Amino acid sequence: GAMWRGEGPRQSRETVAFDTAYVNPPHVQVSISMWDISNSTNIRADVQAENITTTGFEIVFRTWADTQVARVRVAWTSFGELPNDDGWELY
C-alpha cells in the first residue's frame, strides 16, 4: 500500500482468528515467508505476534527509516491446549 512510500517508523497490523479457541492464550510464532522490498535502501523489518488471546492475535509488521516495502507475507503457527473433546461430562 501507499503507506510504505513514506519514511520513518511505519507499521501494519492484521488480526488473525483461530479456528478453535484455546483453553489459555497459546504460544504463537511468526516469520516472514515472502517479501518484496526495494534493494535501493537497507532492508529493515520486524514482525511480531501481539495481543495474543484464546481466540486470536495480531500480526504486527514494522519497518523504519527509508526502507520501501511493496508486499510482505507472514507465516504463523500456534501451540497450546485445546478444549477437552473426549466426550466426558461432569454433572
Side-chain angles (χ1 to χ4, degrees):
M3 69 175 294
W4 302 121
R5 302 203 207 299
E7 294 198 358
R10 286 152 288 157
Q11 71 174 23
S12 179
R13 288 178 177 266
E14 187 73 25
T15 300
V16 175
F18 299 130
D19 289 339
T20 302
Y22 285 91
V23 174
N24 299 301
H27 176 74
V28 177
Q29 290 182 335
V30 292
S31 62
I32 296 175
S33 60
M34 181 280 295
W35 67 79
D36 181 1
I37 300 177
S38 170
N39 68 356
S40 64
T41 60
N42 289 331
I43 295 173
R44 304 173 181 92
D46 174 47
V47 63
Q48 295 183 15
E50 294 186 358
N51 301 320
I52 301 168
T53 69
T54 57
T55 58
F57 69 100
E58 286 183 314
I59 295 171
V60 185
F61 176 85
R62 294 180 175 93
T63 189
W64 55 96
D66 58 355
T67 299
Q68 299 296 300
V69 178
R71 290 192 308 155
V72 171
R73 181 180 301 130
V74 176
W76 64 270
T77 305
S78 58
F79 304 90
E81 182 184 356
L82 292 173
N84 191 344
D85 193 26
D86 61 8
W88 293 96
E89 295 288 340
L90 298 177
Y91 295 100

Coordinates of all heavy atoms in Angstrom, one line a residue:
G1 N 0.8 -1.2 0.0 CA 0.0 0.0 0.0 C 0.8 1.3 0.0 O 2.1 1.2 0.1
A2 N 0.2 2.4 -0.1 CA 0.9 3.7 -0.2 C 1.6 4.0 1.1 O 2.5 4.8 1.0 CB -0.2 4.8 -0.5
M3 N 1.2 3.4 2.2 CA 1.9 3.7 3.5 C 3.4 3.4 3.4 O 4.2 4.1 4.1 CB 1.3 3.0 4.7 CG 1.5 1.5 4.7 SD 0.9 0.7 6.1 CE 1.9 1.4 7.4
W4 N 3.8 2.5 2.6 CA 5.2 2.1 2.5 C 6.1 3.1 1.7 O 7.2 3.0 1.6 CB 5.4 0.7 2.0 CG 4.6 -0.3 2.8 CD1 3.6 -1.1 2.4 CD2 4.8 -0.5 4.2 NE1 3.2 -1.8 3.5 CE2 3.9 -1.5 4.6 CE3 5.6 0.0 5.2 CZ2 3.8 -2.0 5.9 CZ3 5.5 -0.5 6.5 CH2 4.6 -1.5 6.8
R5 N 5.4 4.1 1.0 CA 6.2 5.0 0.3 C 6.8 6.1 1.2 O 7.6 6.9 0.8 CB 5.3 5.7 -0.8 CG 4.7 4.7 -1.8 CD 4.3 5.4 -3.1 NE 3.2 4.7 -3.8 CZ 3.2 3.5 -4.2 NH1 4.3 2.7 -4.0 NH2 2.2 3.0 -4.9
G6 N 6.3 6.1 2.4 CA 6.8 7.2 3.3 C 8.2 6.8 3.9 O 8.9 5.9 3.5
E7 N 8.6 7.6 4.9 CA 9.8 7.4 5.6 C 9.5 7.4 7.1 O 8.4 7.8 7.6 CB 10.9 8.4 5.3 CG 11.3 8.3 3.8 CD 12.6 9.1 3.6 OE1 13.2 9.6 4.6 OE2 13.1 9.0 2.5
G8 N 10.5 6.9 7.9 CA 10.3 6.9 9.3 C 9.6 5.6 9.8 O 9.3 4.7 9.0
P9 N 9.2 5.5 11.1 CA 8.6 4.3 11.6 C 7.2 4.2 11.0 O 6.4 5.1 11.0 CB 8.5 4.6 13.1 CG 9.5 5.7 13.4 CD 9.5 6.5 12.1
R10 N 6.9 2.9 10.5 CA 5.6 2.6 10.0 C 5.3 1.2 10.4 O 6.1 0.4 10.6 CB 5.6 2.7 8.4 CG 5.7 4.1 7.9 CD 6.4 4.1 6.5 NE 7.8 3.9 6.7 CZ 8.6 3.4 5.7 NH1 8.2 3.1 4.6 NH2 9.9 3.3 6.0
Q11 N 4.0 0.9 10.6 CA 3.6 -0.4 10.9 C 2.3 -0.8 10.3 O 1.5 0.1 9.9 CB 3.5 -0.6 12.4 CG 2.3 0.1 13.1 CD 2.2 -0.2 14.6 OE1 3.1 -0.6 15.2 NE2 1.0 -0.1 15.1
S12 N 2.1 -2.1 10.1 CA 0.8 -2.6 9.6 C 0.4 -3.8 10.6 O 1.2 -4.5 11.0 CB 1.0 -3.2 8.2 OG -0.2 -3.7 7.7
R13 N -0.9 -3.8 10.9 CA -1.5 -4.8 11.8 C -2.5 -5.6 11.1 O -3.3 -5.1 10.3 CB -2.1 -4.2 13.0 CG -1.1 -3.6 14.0 CD -1.8 -2.9 15.2 NE -0.7 -2.5 16.1 CZ -0.3 -3.2 17.1 NH1 -0.8 -4.3 17.4 NH2 0.7 -2.7 17.9
E14 N -2.6 -6.9 11.3 CA -3.6 -7.8 10.8 C -4.1 -8.7 11.9 O -3.3 -9.4 12.6 CB -3.0 -8.6 9.6 CG -4.0 -9.5 8.9 CD -4.9 -8.6 8.0 OE1 -4.5 -7.5 7.5 OE2 -6.0 -9.1 7.7
T15 N -5.4 -8.8 12.1 CA -6.0 -9.6 13.1 C -6.2 -11.0 12.5 O -6.7 -11.2 11.4 CB -7.3 -9.0 13.6 OG1 -7.1 -7.7 14.1 CG2 -7.9 -9.9 14.6
V16 N -5.8 -12.0 13.3 CA -5.9 -13.4 13.0 C -6.9 -14.0 14.0 O -6.7 -13.9 15.2 CB -4.6 -14.1 13.0 CG1 -4.8 -15.6 12.8 CG2 -3.6 -13.5 12.0
A17 N -7.9 -14.8 13.5 CA -8.8 -15.5 14.4 C -8.4 -17.0 14.3 O -8.3 -17.6 13.2 CB -10.2 -15.3 14.0
F18 N -8.3 -17.7 15.5 CA -8.1 -19.1 15.5 C -9.3 -19.9 15.1 O -10.4 -19.4 15.4 CB -7.6 -19.6 16.9 CG -6.3 -19.0 17.4 CD1 -6.3 -18.4 18.6 CD2 -5.2 -19.0 16.6 CE1 -5.1 -17.9 19.1 CE2 -4.0 -18.4 17.0 CZ -4.0 -17.8 18.3
D19 N -9.2 -21.0 14.4 CA -10.3 -21.8 14.1 C -11.1 -22.4 15.3 O -12.3 -22.5 15.3 CB -9.9 -23.0 13.2 CG -9.5 -22.6 11.8 OD1 -9.9 -21.5 11.4 OD2 -8.8 -23.3 11.1
T20 N -10.3 -22.7 16.3 CA -10.8 -23.2 17.6 C -10.2 -22.4 18.7 O -9.0 -22.2 18.7 CB -10.5 -24.7 17.8 OG1 -11.0 -25.5 16.7 CG2 -11.1 -25.3 19.1
A21 N -11.0 -22.0 19.7 CA -10.5 -21.3 20.8 C -9.6 -22.2 21.7 O -9.9 -23.3 21.9 CB -11.6 -20.7 21.6
Y22 N -8.5 -21.6 22.2 CA -7.6 -22.4 23.1 C -8.2 -22.2 24.5 O -8.9 -21.3 24.9 CB -6.2 -21.8 23.0 CG -5.5 -22.2 21.8 CD1 -5.5 -21.4 20.6 CD2 -4.7 -23.4 21.8 CE1 -4.8 -21.8 19.5 CE2 -4.0 -23.8 20.6 CZ -4.1 -23.0 19.5 OH -3.4 -23.4 18.4
V23 N -7.7 -23.1 25.4 CA -8.0 -23.0 26.9 C -7.4 -21.8 27.5 O -8.0 -21.0 28.2 CB -7.6 -24.3 27.6 CG1 -7.8 -24.2 29.1 CG2 -8.4 -25.5 27.0
N24 N -6.1 -21.6 27.2 CA -5.3 -20.4 27.6 C -4.7 -19.8 26.4 O -4.5 -20.5 25.3 CB -4.2 -20.8 28.6 CG -4.8 -21.5 29.8 OD1 -5.6 -20.9 30.5 ND2 -4.4 -22.7 30.1
P25 N -4.3 -18.6 26.4 CA -3.6 -18.0 25.3 C -2.4 -18.8 24.8 O -1.6 -19.2 25.7 CB -3.1 -16.6 25.8 CG -4.1 -16.3 26.8 CD -4.4 -17.6 27.5
P26 N -2.3 -19.2 23.6 CA -1.3 -20.1 23.1 C 0.0 -19.4 22.8 O 0.1 -18.2 22.9 CB -1.8 -20.7 21.8 CG -2.6 -19.5 21.3 CD -3.2 -18.9 22.5
H27 N 1.1 -20.2 22.6 CA 2.3 -19.6 22.1 C 2.2 -19.4 20.6 O 1.8 -20.4 19.9 CB 3.5 -20.5 22.4 CG 4.8 -20.1 21.9 ND1 5.5 -19.0 22.4 CD2 5.5 -20.5 20.8 CE1 6.6 -18.8 21.7 NE2 6.6 -19.7 20.8
V28 N 2.6 -18.3 20.1 CA 2.5 -18.0 18.6 C 3.8 -17.7 18.1 O 4.5 -16.8 18.7 CB 1.5 -16.9 18.3 CG1 1.4 -16.6 16.9 CG2 0.1 -17.2 18.9
Q29 N 4.2 -18.3 17.0 CA 5.4 -18.0 16.3 C 5.1 -17.4 14.9 O 4.2 -17.9 14.2 CB 6.3 -19.3 16.1 CG 6.9 -19.8 17.3 CD 7.7 -21.1 17.0 OE1 7.6 -21.7 16.0 NE2 8.7 -21.3 17.9
V30 N 5.7 -16.3 14.6 CA 5.5 -15.7 13.3 C 6.8 -15.5 12.6 O 7.9 -15.4 13.2 CB 4.8 -14.3 13.4 CG1 3.4 -14.4 13.9 CG2 5.6 -13.4 14.3
S31 N 6.8 -15.6 11.2 CA 8.0 -15.4 10.4 C 7.6 -14.8 9.1 O 6.5 -15.0 8.6 CB 8.7 -16.7 10.2 OG 7.9 -17.6 9.5
I32 N 8.5 -14.1 8.5 CA 8.3 -13.6 7.1 C 8.5 -14.7 6.1 O 9.6 -15.2 6.1 CB 9.2 -12.4 6.9 CG1 8.9 -11.2 7.9 CG2 9.0 -11.9 5.4 CD1 9.8 -10.0 7.7
S33 N 7.5 -15.0 5.4 CA 7.6 -16.1 4.4 C 7.9 -15.6 3.0 O 8.2 -16.3 2.1 CB 6.4 -17.0 4.4 OG 5.2 -16.3 4.1
M34 N 7.6 -14.3 2.7 CA 7.8 -13.7 1.4 C 8.0 -12.2 1.6 O 7.3 -11.6 2.5 CB 6.7 -14.0 0.5 CG 6.8 -13.4 -0.9 SD 6.5 -11.6 -1.1 CE 4.7 -11.6 -0.7
W35 N 8.9 -11.5 0.9 CA 8.9 -10.1 0.9 C 9.3 -9.5 -0.4 O 10.0 -10.2 -1.2 CB 9.8 -9.6 2.0 CG 11.3 -9.8 1.8 CD1 12.2 -9.2 1.0 CD2 12.1 -10.8 2.5 NE1 13.4 -9.7 1.1 CE2 13.4 -10.7 2.0 CE3 11.8 -11.8 3.4 CZ2 14.4 -11.6 2.5 CZ3 12.8 -12.6 3.9 CH2 14.1 -12.5 3.4
D36 N 8.8 -8.4 -0.7 CA 9.1 -7.6 -1.9 C 9.5 -6.2 -1.4 O 8.7 -5.4 -1.1 CB 7.9 -7.5 -2.8 CG 8.2 -6.7 -4.1 OD1 9.3 -6.3 -4.3 OD2 7.2 -6.6 -4.9
I37 N 10.8 -6.0 -1.2 CA 11.4 -4.8 -0.5 C 12.5 -4.3 -1.5 O 13.3 -5.0 -1.9 CB 11.9 -5.1 0.9 CG1 10.8 -5.7 1.8 CG2 12.6 -3.9 1.5 CD1 11.3 -6.1 3.2
S38 N 12.4 -3.0 -1.7 CA 13.4 -2.4 -2.6 C 14.8 -2.6 -2.1 O 15.1 -2.5 -0.9 CB 13.1 -0.9 -2.6 OG 14.2 -0.2 -3.3
N39 N 15.7 -2.9 -3.0 CA 17.1 -3.1 -2.6 C 18.0 -1.8 -2.8 O 19.2 -1.8 -2.6 CB 17.8 -4.2 -3.5 CG 18.0 -3.9 -4.9 OD1 17.5 -2.8 -5.4 ND2 18.6 -4.8 -5.7
S40 N 17.3 -0.7 -3.0 CA 18.0 0.6 -3.1 C 18.2 1.2 -1.7 O 18.9 2.2 -1.6 CB 17.2 1.6 -4.0 OG 16.0 1.9 -3.4
T41 N 17.6 0.6 -0.7 CA 17.8 1.0 0.7 C 18.0 -0.2 1.5 O 17.8 -1.3 1.1 CB 16.5 1.8 1.2 OG1 15.4 0.9 1.2 CG2 16.3 3.0 0.4
N42 N 18.4 0.0 2.8 CA 18.6 -1.1 3.7 C 17.2 -1.8 3.9 O 16.2 -1.1 4.0 CB 19.1 -0.7 5.0 CG 20.6 -0.3 5.0 OD1 21.3 -0.8 4.1 ND2 21.0 0.7 5.8
I43 N 17.2 -3.1 4.1 CA 16.0 -3.9 4.3 C 15.8 -4.0 5.9 O 16.7 -4.5 6.6 CB 16.1 -5.3 3.7 CG1 16.1 -5.1 2.2 CG2 14.9 -6.1 4.1 CD1 16.4 -6.4 1.4
R44 N 14.8 -3.3 6.3 CA 14.5 -3.3 7.8 C 13.1 -3.8 8.0 O 12.2 -3.3 7.5 CB 14.6 -1.8 8.3 CG 15.9 -1.1 8.0 CD 15.8 0.3 8.4 NE 17.0 1.1 8.1 CZ 17.3 1.7 7.0 NH1 16.4 1.7 6.0 NH2 18.4 2.4 6.8
A45 N 13.0 -4.9 8.8 CA 11.7 -5.5 9.0 C 11.7 -6.1 10.4 O 12.7 -6.8 10.8 CB 11.4 -6.5 8.0
D46 N 10.6 -5.9 11.1 CA 10.3 -6.6 12.4 C 8.9 -7.1 12.4 O 8.0 -6.3 12.1 CB 10.5 -5.5 13.5 CG 10.1 -6.1 14.9 OD1 10.6 -7.2 15.2 OD2 9.4 -5.4 15.6
V47 N 8.7 -8.4 12.6 CA 7.4 -9.0 12.7 C 7.2 -9.7 14.0 O 8.1 -10.4 14.4 CB 7.1 -9.9 11.5 CG1 8.1 -11.1 11.5 CG2 5.7 -10.3 11.4
Q48 N 6.1 -9.4 14.6 CA 5.8 -10.0 15.9 C 4.3 -10.3 16.1 O 3.5 -9.8 15.4 CB 6.1 -9.0 17.1 CG 7.6 -8.6 17.1 CD 7.9 -7.7 18.3 OE1 7.1 -7.5 19.2 NE2 9.1 -7.1 18.2
A49 N 4.0 -11.2 17.0 CA 2.6 -11.5 17.4 C 2.4 -10.7 18.6 O 3.1 -10.8 19.6 CB 2.5 -13.0 17.6
E50 N 1.3 -10.0 18.6 CA 0.9 -9.2 19.8 C -0.6 -9.4 20.2 O -1.3 -9.9 19.3 CB 1.1 -7.7 19.5 CG 2.6 -7.3 19.3 CD 2.9 -5.8 19.2 OE1 1.9 -5.1 19.2 OE2 4.0 -5.4 19.1
N51 N -0.9 -9.0 21.4 CA -2.3 -9.1 21.8 C -2.9 -10.5 21.7 O -4.0 -10.7 21.1 CB -3.2 -8.1 21.1 CG -2.7 -6.7 21.4 OD1 -2.3 -6.3 22.5 ND2 -2.7 -5.8 20.4
I52 N -2.1 -11.5 22.1 CA -2.5 -12.9 21.9 C -3.5 -13.3 23.0 O -3.3 -13.0 24.2 CB -1.3 -13.9 22.1 CG1 -0.2 -13.5 21.0 CG2 -1.7 -15.3 22.0 CD1 1.1 -14.2 21.3
T53 N -4.7 -13.8 22.5 CA -5.7 -14.3 23.4 C -6.1 -15.7 23.1 O -5.4 -16.3 22.2 CB -7.0 -13.4 23.2 OG1 -7.6 -13.7 21.9 CG2 -6.7 -11.9 23.3
T54 N -7.1 -16.2 23.7 CA -7.5 -17.6 23.5 C -8.2 -17.8 22.1 O -8.3 -18.9 21.6 CB -8.5 -18.1 24.5 OG1 -9.6 -17.2 24.5 CG2 -7.9 -18.2 25.9
T55 N -8.6 -16.6 21.5 CA -9.3 -16.7 20.2 C -8.6 -16.1 19.0 O -9.1 -16.3 17.9 CB -10.7 -16.0 20.4 OG1 -10.4 -14.6 20.8 CG2 -11.6 -16.6 21.4
G56 N -7.4 -15.5 19.3 CA -6.7 -14.9 18.1 C -5.6 -14.0 18.6 O -5.2 -14.0 19.8
F57 N -5.0 -13.3 17.6 CA -3.9 -12.4 17.9 C -3.7 -11.4 16.7 O -4.4 -11.5 15.8 CB -2.6 -13.2 18.1 CG -2.1 -13.9 16.8 CD1 -1.0 -13.3 16.1 CD2 -2.6 -15.1 16.3 CE1 -0.5 -13.9 14.9 CE2 -2.1 -15.6 15.2 CZ -1.1 -15.1 14.5
E58 N -2.8 -10.5 16.9 CA -2.5 -9.6 15.8 C -1.0 -9.8 15.3 O -0.1 -9.9 16.1 CB -2.6 -8.1 16.3 CG -4.0 -7.6 16.5 CD -4.0 -6.2 17.0 OE1 -3.2 -5.8 17.9 OE2 -4.8 -5.4 16.4
I59 N -0.9 -9.9 14.0 CA 0.4 -9.9 13.4 C 0.8 -8.4 13.2 O 0.0 -7.6 12.7 CB 0.4 -10.5 12.0 CG1 0.1 -12.0 12.1 CG2 1.7 -10.3 11.3 CD1 -0.2 -12.7 10.8
V60 N 2.0 -8.0 13.7 CA 2.4 -6.6 13.6 C 3.7 -6.6 12.8 O 4.7 -7.2 13.2 CB 2.6 -6.0 14.9 CG1 3.0 -4.5 14.8 CG2 1.4 -6.1 15.8
F61 N 3.7 -5.9 11.6 CA 4.9 -5.8 10.8 C 5.3 -4.3 10.9 O 4.5 -3.4 10.7 CB 4.6 -6.1 9.3 CG 5.7 -5.8 8.4 CD1 6.7 -6.8 8.3 CD2 5.9 -4.6 7.8 CE1 7.8 -6.6 7.4 CE2 7.0 -4.4 7.0 CZ 7.9 -5.4 6.8
R62 N 6.6 -4.1 11.2 CA 7.1 -2.8 11.3 C 8.4 -2.6 10.4 O 9.1 -3.5 10.2 CB 7.6 -2.5 12.8 CG 6.4 -2.5 13.8 CD 7.0 -2.2 15.2 NE 5.9 -2.0 16.1 CZ 5.4 -3.0 16.9 NH1 5.9 -4.2 16.8 NH2 4.4 -2.8 17.7
T63 N 8.5 -1.4 9.9 CA 9.7 -1.0 9.2 C 10.0 0.4 9.6 O 9.2 1.1 10.2 CB 9.6 -1.2 7.7 OG1 10.9 -1.0 7.1 CG2 8.6 -0.2 7.1
W64 N 11.2 0.9 9.2 CA 11.6 2.3 9.6 C 12.6 2.9 8.7 O 13.0 2.2 7.7 CB 12.1 2.3 11.1 CG 13.2 1.3 11.3 CD1 14.6 1.6 11.3 CD2 13.1 -0.1 11.6 NE1 15.3 0.5 11.6 CE2 14.4 -0.6 11.8 CE3 12.1 -1.0 11.7 CZ2 14.7 -1.9 12.1 CZ3 12.3 -2.3 12.0 CH2 13.6 -2.8 12.2
A65 N 13.0 4.1 9.0 CA 13.9 4.9 8.1 C 13.4 4.9 6.7 O 12.2 5.2 6.5 CB 15.3 4.3 8.2
D66 N 14.3 4.7 5.7 CA 13.9 4.9 4.3 C 13.5 3.6 3.6 O 13.4 3.6 2.4 CB 15.0 5.6 3.5 CG 16.3 4.9 3.6 OD1 16.4 3.8 4.2 OD2 17.2 5.3 2.9
T67 N 13.4 2.5 4.3 CA 13.0 1.2 3.7 C 11.7 1.3 2.9 O 10.7 1.9 3.4 CB 12.9 0.1 4.8 OG1 14.2 0.0 5.4 CG2 12.6 -1.2 4.2
Q68 N 11.7 0.8 1.7 CA 10.5 0.8 0.9 C 10.0 -0.6 0.7 O 10.6 -1.5 0.1 CB 10.8 1.4 -0.5 CG 11.3 2.8 -0.4 CD 10.2 3.8 0.2 OE1 9.1 3.9 -0.4 NE2 10.5 4.4 1.3
V69 N 8.7 -0.9 1.2 CA 8.2 -2.2 1.2 C 7.0 -2.2 0.3 O 6.1 -1.4 0.4 CB 7.7 -2.7 2.6 CG1 7.0 -4.0 2.6 CG2 8.8 -2.6 3.6
A70 N 7.0 -3.2 -0.7 CA 5.8 -3.3 -1.6 C 4.8 -4.4 -1.0 O 3.6 -4.1 -0.8 CB 6.2 -3.8 -3.0
R71 N 5.3 -5.6 -0.6 CA 4.5 -6.6 -0.1 C 5.3 -7.5 0.9 O 6.5 -7.6 0.7 CB 4.0 -7.6 -1.2 CG 3.0 -7.0 -2.1 CD 2.3 -8.0 -3.0 NE 3.4 -8.8 -3.6 CZ 3.2 -10.1 -4.0 NH1 2.0 -10.7 -3.8 NH2 4.1 -10.7 -4.7
V72 N 4.6 -8.0 1.9 CA 5.2 -8.9 2.8 C 4.1 -10.0 3.1 O 2.9 -9.7 3.3 CB 5.6 -8.2 4.2 CG1 6.0 -9.3 5.2 CG2 6.7 -7.3 3.9
R73 N 4.6 -11.3 3.2 CA 3.7 -12.3 3.6 C 4.2 -12.9 4.9 O 5.4 -13.1 5.0 CB 3.6 -13.4 2.6 CG 2.6 -14.6 3.0 CD 2.5 -15.7 1.9 NE 2.1 -15.1 0.7 CZ 2.7 -15.3 -0.5 NH1 3.8 -16.0 -0.6 NH2 2.2 -14.8 -1.6
V74 N 3.4 -13.1 5.9 CA 3.8 -13.6 7.2 C 3.2 -15.0 7.5 O 2.0 -15.2 7.3 CB 3.4 -12.7 8.3 CG1 3.8 -13.2 9.7 CG2 4.1 -11.3 8.1
A75 N 4.0 -16.0 7.8 CA 3.5 -17.3 8.2 C 3.4 -17.3 9.8 O 4.2 -16.7 10.4 CB 4.5 -18.4 7.7
W76 N 2.5 -18.1 10.3 CA 2.4 -18.2 11.7 C 1.9 -19.6 12.1 O 1.3 -20.4 11.4 CB 1.4 -17.2 12.3 CG -0.1 -17.4 11.8 CD1 -0.6 -16.8 10.7 CD2 -1.1 -18.1 12.4 NE1 -1.9 -17.2 10.6 CE2 -2.2 -18.0 11.6 CE3 -1.1 -18.9 13.5 CZ2 -3.4 -18.6 11.9 CZ3 -2.3 -19.6 13.9 CH2 -3.5 -19.4 13.1
T77 N 2.3 -20.0 13.4 CA 1.9 -21.3 13.9 C 1.6 -21.0 15.4 O 2.3 -20.2 16.1 CB 3.1 -22.3 13.9 OG1 3.5 -22.4 12.5 CG2 2.7 -23.6 14.4
S78 N 0.6 -21.7 15.9 CA 0.2 -21.5 17.3 C 0.2 -22.9 18.0 O -0.1 -23.9 17.4 CB -1.2 -20.9 17.5 OG -2.2 -21.7 16.8
F79 N 0.7 -22.9 19.3 CA 0.8 -24.1 20.1 C 0.1 -23.8 21.4 O 0.4 -22.8 22.1 CB 2.3 -24.4 20.4 CG 3.1 -24.5 19.2 CD1 3.8 -23.4 18.7 CD2 3.3 -25.8 18.6 CE1 4.6 -23.6 17.6 CE2 4.1 -25.9 17.5 CZ 4.8 -24.8 16.9
G80 N -0.8 -24.7 21.8 CA -1.5 -24.5 23.1 C -2.5 -25.7 23.3 O -2.7 -26.5 22.5
E81 N -3.1 -25.6 24.5 CA -4.0 -26.6 24.9 C -5.4 -26.3 24.4 O -5.9 -25.2 24.6 CB -4.1 -26.7 26.4 CG -5.1 -27.7 27.0 CD -5.2 -27.7 28.5 OE1 -4.5 -26.9 29.1 OE2 -6.0 -28.5 29.0
L82 N -6.0 -27.2 23.6 CA -7.3 -27.1 23.1 C -8.4 -27.6 24.1 O -8.0 -28.4 25.0 CB -7.5 -27.8 21.8 CG -6.7 -27.2 20.6 CD1 -6.7 -28.1 19.4 CD2 -7.2 -25.8 20.3
P83 N -9.6 -27.2 24.0 CA -10.6 -27.7 24.9 C -10.7 -29.2 24.9 O -10.6 -29.8 23.8 CB -11.9 -27.0 24.4 CG -11.5 -25.8 23.7 CD -10.1 -26.2 23.1
N84 N -11.0 -29.8 26.0 CA -11.1 -31.3 26.1 C -12.3 -31.7 25.3 O -13.4 -31.3 25.6 CB -11.2 -31.7 27.6 CG -11.1 -33.2 27.7 OD1 -11.2 -34.0 26.8 ND2 -10.9 -33.6 28.9
D85 N -12.2 -32.6 24.3 CA -13.3 -33.0 23.5 C -13.4 -34.5 23.4 O -13.7 -35.1 22.4 CB -13.1 -32.4 22.1 CG -14.3 -32.5 21.2 OD1 -15.4 -32.6 21.8 OD2 -14.2 -32.6 20.0
D86 N -13.1 -35.2 24.6 CA -13.2 -36.7 24.6 C -14.6 -37.2 25.0 O -14.8 -38.4 25.2 CB -12.1 -37.2 25.5 CG -12.2 -36.8 26.9 OD1 -13.3 -36.2 27.3 OD2 -11.3 -37.1 27.7
G87 N -15.5 -36.3 25.2 CA -16.9 -36.7 25.4 C -17.2 -36.9 26.9 O -18.4 -37.1 27.2
W88 N -16.3 -36.7 27.8 CA -16.6 -36.9 29.2 C -17.2 -35.6 29.8 O -16.8 -34.5 29.5 CB -15.3 -37.1 30.0 CG -14.7 -38.5 29.7 CD1 -13.7 -38.7 28.8 CD2 -15.1 -39.7 30.3 NE1 -13.5 -40.1 28.8 CE2 -14.3 -40.7 29.7 CE3 -16.1 -40.1 31.2 CZ2 -14.4 -42.0 30.0 CZ3 -16.2 -41.4 31.5 CH2 -15.4 -42.4 30.9
E89 N -18.3 -35.8 30.4 CA -19.0 -34.6 31.1 C -19.2 -34.9 32.5 O -19.5 -36.0 32.9 CB -20.4 -34.4 30.4 CG -20.4 -34.1 29.0 CD -19.9 -32.6 28.7 OE1 -20.0 -31.8 29.7 OE2 -19.5 -32.3 27.6
L90 N -19.0 -33.9 33.3 CA -19.2 -34.0 34.8 C -20.5 -33.2 35.1 O -20.7 -32.1 34.7 CB -18.0 -33.3 35.5 CG -16.6 -34.0 35.3 CD1 -15.6 -33.3 36.1 CD2 -16.7 -35.5 35.8
Y91 N -21.3 -33.9 35.9 CA -22.6 -33.3 36.3 C -22.6 -33.2 37.8 O -22.0 -33.9 38.6 CB -23.8 -34.2 35.9 CG -23.9 -34.2 34.4 CD1 -23.4 -35.3 33.7 CD2 -24.4 -33.2 33.6 CE1 -23.5 -35.4 32.3 CE2 -24.5 -33.2 32.3 CZ -24.0 -34.3 31.6 OH -24.1 -34.4 30.2

